[in-house]
Amino acid sequence: MNSLPLVGDRVSYSGYLGTVKFVGNVKNTTGTWLGIEWDDPDRGKHDGVKDGKRYFSCRIPNAGSFIRPSVQVIRGVSFLQALKAKYVEELYGSTSQEKVTLGSSNGVIVEAVNLDKIRNKLANLGRIREVSLENEFVSRVDEPGSIRETCPNVQGLDLSASLLSTWNVVADIAVELPVLQRLALNRNRFAEVPLDTLKITNSFQSLTDLQLNGSLMSWRQMQHVTSFMPKLVSVELGNNQLCELEYDDIHNSHSTIRNLNLEGNKCKDWTCICRSLCTYKHLDRVILTSNEIDSIPPLTDVSFVLKELKHISLSANNIKSWNDLDALPMWCPSLTSLSMIGNPLVQSGDEVRYSRPFIIARIPTLEILDSTAVSARERTDSELLYLSYISRWFNLRESKISITQLMREHPRWKELSIKHGTAISESMTHQDRLSSKLIEVQVQKMFAPTPSEISEWTSIRVLPTMSLKVFELKIRKTLNIEKDSRCSLWLKMSDGTWVELTDIAHDLDWLGLESGSQIICCVTVQ
């Protein structure tokens, strides 16, 4: 391919991938230039403007630059060229002798004959099921029928960071892989050109999993493409700079998608998010980690309810208010699993030490919180602790607040009071219960593999129904232990010996912790 690349072609140059946005002359220079929008914006110098004249535009500001056409501008290879280069070892000749090292590089060297027989067997691409051609510069399809003839049984294909320019090229490849189920297209850039609907309709009939992370595809583009994938179950669209999910009930009204990963985007408006997601009638799991969600308002339109959603990750957002957690069950009535790590609500404030039991008490269907199971006993204790808190909160404000206001601040109060047979009038009992449910444990860290005697301790109050896994997370936060450090927890016994606690699934009560117990966290820095 010695001709100049065309606008829209994908290229690799000095290890950087980019898209050709301009081919031609540039004012005040001689010769031909290529205007490139780089996938990595740090490689760019401008957004297509030179000396006041715009030659092209970039989706990401300052991701563009001009380069000269040269042999260093790699325009890619065909699918089969990349496949054979990676998976087929070149034959040496049937009669040749070869030296083979057995063991390590200093091992025994022996001579072997007819290794080409083994290479021929390994080169049988018809048996291959999983293919990874990430960073192999695939840019085009081969002659019709040749891919199907060579590797018809491929079920998983990774074409991430390739030089594929359009979805039509992807469809040309996929149509020759009749049992393809998993397709990774991360960190590609597809031009917004009309889809060949006749071609794409027949290309993804068996596909169940699709990865489009870091591809800068819009929500609407994703919906349009996936509408041609009748068996699709999981879609990953992380780190795509999505600020909103454009509402469109045309392309996904019959979608089979159950899992959506939207991690690392810039989505903020909860109502708009749910408005778009609710059209996916079978949606079961959504990852919204590391977005910009800062509030979950009360539900005002029941048509936006995510009825089937059971698992959601809201970690590393900006949720600050308990009212947001109170509203969540209205939007997601079937929710069983929730992740909230990294939000201000569970990291700071007067109630942060109660964040886990308060979340459990506020969401009645919750079975897993931050990857740790919620036992029946932990739920009961959490709800009783929450009622105790409400009672104390009400009594401190009794002259200024009505029951109506109380229920507005704590929507589950009446339901939980009936469930556990308690009432506000039992205020003293509740205040006593708030203290009595917690145990006070002495903790300290030590940079050593095993513990030894120390004199200074830090006190923390915890529920005895807390799991050891959650307890360790609380100790890490209290003692400012880096998350990458390895920790082991040691309990001091009555005879002065130390016993390591290893069963993370059991609660503190089962492990024998009580008020006054001393725990040393032995830290090993990686």
Side-chain angles (χ1 to χ4, degrees):
M1 301 179 73
N2 296 318
S3 59
L4 288 173
L6 303 176
V7 171
D9 282 354
R10 297 275 291 156
V11 297
S12 174
Y13 179 76
S14 297
Y16 291 90
L17 303 183
T19 302
V20 178
K21 305 299 291 286
F22 170 82
V23 180
N25 298 322
V26 174
K27 186 178 178 181
N28 298 324
T29 68
T30 59
T32 301
W33 290 90
L34 304 178
I36 309 294
E37 179 182 8
W38 302 102
D39 295 2
D40 182 355
D42 291 338
R43 173 64 176 81
K45 298 179 179 179
H46 50 73
D47 60 354
V49 176
K50 182 172 175 56
D51 297 331
K53 181 178 179 180
R54 178 170 295 281
Y55 293 88
F56 61 94
S57 298
C58 297
R59 285 189 278 187
I60 300 177
N62 298 318
S65 70
F66 290 103
I67 62 173
R68 290 288 192 183
S70 69
V71 294
Q72 283 77 38
V73 179
I74 300 172
R75 298 171 60 189
V77 298
S78 73
F79 177 86
L80 286 182
Q81 284 176 322
L83 182 73
K84 292 176 181 178
K86 182 168 183 178
Y87 289 95
V88 178
E89 188 176 353
E90 189 175 333
L91 301 183
Y92 284 73
S94 59
T95 62
S96 64
Q97 290 186 341
E98 301 174 46
K99 292 183 178 180
V100 179
T101 302
L102 301 180
S104 66
S105 58
N106 295 321
V108 178
I109 299 178
V110 299
E111 288 190 349
V113 181
N114 290 335
L115 287 182
D116 280 351
K117 288 185 177 180
I118 299 175
R119 292 192 181 96
N120 272 321
K121 289 183 178 180
L122 295 176
N124 185 358
L125 297 176
R127 299 178 179 180
I128 198 167
R129 299 290 187 272
E130 300 290 330
V131 170
S132 176
L133 296 179
E134 181 178 3
N135 290 311
E136 296 294 334
F137 303 147
V138 176
S139 63
R140 59 187 183 274
V141 71
D142 297 270
E143 289 296 320
S146 57
I147 296 177
R148 182 188 293 261
E149 181 180 348
T150 303
C151 53
N153 294 309
V154 173
Q155 298 177 7
L157 175 60
D158 190 346
L159 290 172
S160 298
S162 295
L163 299 180
L164 301 163
S165 58
T166 70
W167 270 97
N168 292 327
V169 180
V170 178
D172 284 334
I173 294 172
V175 75
E176 302 215 9
L177 302 172
V179 294
L180 184 64
Q181 298 175 16
R182 297 171 297 280
L183 178 60
L185 295 168
N186 304 317
R187 304 184 308 285
N188 280 286
R189 299 286 188 272
F190 298 114
E192 295 185 36
V193 299
L195 297 179
D196 184 334
T197 54
L198 180 61
K199 179 186 300 181
I200 201 170
T201 298
N202 298 318
S203 296
F204 305 103
Q205 292 298 301
S206 299
L207 198 68
T208 60
D209 296 87
L210 177 64
Q211 296 180 19
L212 297 168
N213 301 305
S215 64
L216 300 189
M217 280 193 70
S218 71
W219 179 253
R220 193 177 297 278
Q221 288 173 317
M222 183 278 292
Q223 288 183 305
H224 186 34
V225 170
T226 57
S227 66
F228 296 96
M229 303 172 183
K231 296 182 180 179
L232 195 62
V233 174
S234 297
V235 176
E236 296 186 15
L237 205 64
N239 300 299
N240 272 10
Q241 300 192 16
L242 298 176
C243 295
E244 62 177 335
L245 310 181
E246 307 98 323
Y247 177 70
D248 182 356
D249 62 352
I250 297 176
H251 291 124
N252 60 345
S253 57
H254 301 291
S255 176
T256 55
I257 293 175
R258 296 177 59 84
N259 307 313
L260 272 174
N261 188 339
L262 299 170
E263 180 176 358
N265 285 294
K266 300 179 180 181
C267 298
K268 183 175 182 178
D269 191 316
W270 177 262
T271 301
C272 290
I273 292 172
C274 290
R275 185 187 183 197
S276 294
L277 295 185
C278 71
T279 55
Y280 289 89
K281 302 302 182 183
H282 304 288
L283 199 59
D284 177 82
R285 181 185 300 272
V286 173
I287 307 298
L288 286 165
T289 300
S290 299
N291 275 262
E292 298 178 3
I293 301 167
D294 57 6
S295 67
I296 301 176
L299 179 69
T300 57
D301 189 334
V302 295
S303 66
F304 295 170
V305 172
L306 306 178
K307 297 179 182 179
E308 300 297 322
L309 191 69
K310 293 181 175 62
H311 313 275
I312 188 167
S313 175
L314 296 173
S315 296
N317 278 274
N318 197 31
I319 297 172
K320 310 182 198 64
S321 171
W322 285 111
N323 293 333
D324 300 324
L325 268 293
D326 289 328
L328 186 59
M330 293 186 286
W331 294 89
C332 310
S334 301
L335 192 65
T336 61
S337 175
L338 171 67
S339 293
M340 281 291 295
I341 294 172
N343 283 279
L345 181 65
V346 299
Q347 287 188 314
S348 59
D350 296 337
E351 298 164 6
V352 64
R353 58 179 175 169
Y354 302 134
S355 59
R356 181 175 173 86
F358 281 12
I359 293 173
I360 293 170
R362 281 176 154 90
I363 305 178
T365 55
L366 207 59
E367 298 175 2
I368 300 173
L369 175 59
D370 294 327
S371 303
T372 301
V374 178
S375 66
R377 182 176 176 183
E378 184 182 16
R379 171 161 293 284
T380 297
D381 283 354
S382 297
E383 291 173 351
L384 289 172
L385 179 64
Y386 181 51
L387 284 171
S388 300
Y389 171 83
I390 295 174
S391 178
R392 186 173 66 168
W393 180 85
F394 178 79
N395 283 305
L396 289 174
R397 299 164 175 80
E398 192 168 0
S399 60
K400 302 178 182 179
I401 191 170
S402 65
I403 293 294
T404 301
Q405 291 173 298
L406 171 68
M407 293 181 63
R408 187 180 302 120
E409 290 293 324
H410 303 279
R412 290 205 73 209
W413 167 72
K414 185 175 182 179
E415 175 192 347
L416 292 176
S417 295
I418 294 172
K419 176 180 177 180
H420 296 287
T422 60
I424 286 293
S425 60
E426 303 169 5
S427 57
M428 187 58 68
T429 302
H430 284 302
Q431 290 179 45
D432 293 341
R433 184 177 294 167
L434 177 60
S435 298
S436 64
K437 280 291 176 183
L438 298 169
I439 60 174
E440 188 167 308
V441 180
Q442 307 297 312
V443 299
Q444 193 50 272
K445 64 183 175 183
M446 180 176 292
F447 292 95
T450 56
S452 58
E453 293 299 327
I454 57 175
S455 56
E456 295 183 4
W457 295 91
T458 298
S459 297
I460 59 173
R461 303 184 73 196
V462 295
L463 281 170
T465 50
M466 178 181 287
S467 72
L468 184 62
K469 180 179 179 179
V470 176
F471 183 56
E472 180 187 325
L473 293 175
K474 188 174 184 67
I475 289 177
R476 282 177 175 269
K477 185 172 183 179
T478 301
L479 302 179
N480 295 316
I481 299 173
E482 295 291 336
K483 64 179 181 179
D484 294 332
S485 300
R486 294 185 61 183
C487 290
S488 58
L489 300 182
W490 297 77
L491 170 64
K492 189 174 184 179
M493 306 301 289
S494 57
D495 61 0
T497 60
W498 295 91
V499 174
E500 185 177 3
L501 304 177
T502 57
D503 198 336
I504 62 173
H506 279 108
D507 57 41
L508 304 185
D509 189 27
W510 188 91
L511 293 167
L513 272 71
E514 56 189 7
S515 287
S517 291
Q518 294 181 331
I519 298 288
I520 284 184
C521 181
C522 290
V523 182
T524 303
V525 179
Q526 297 293 316

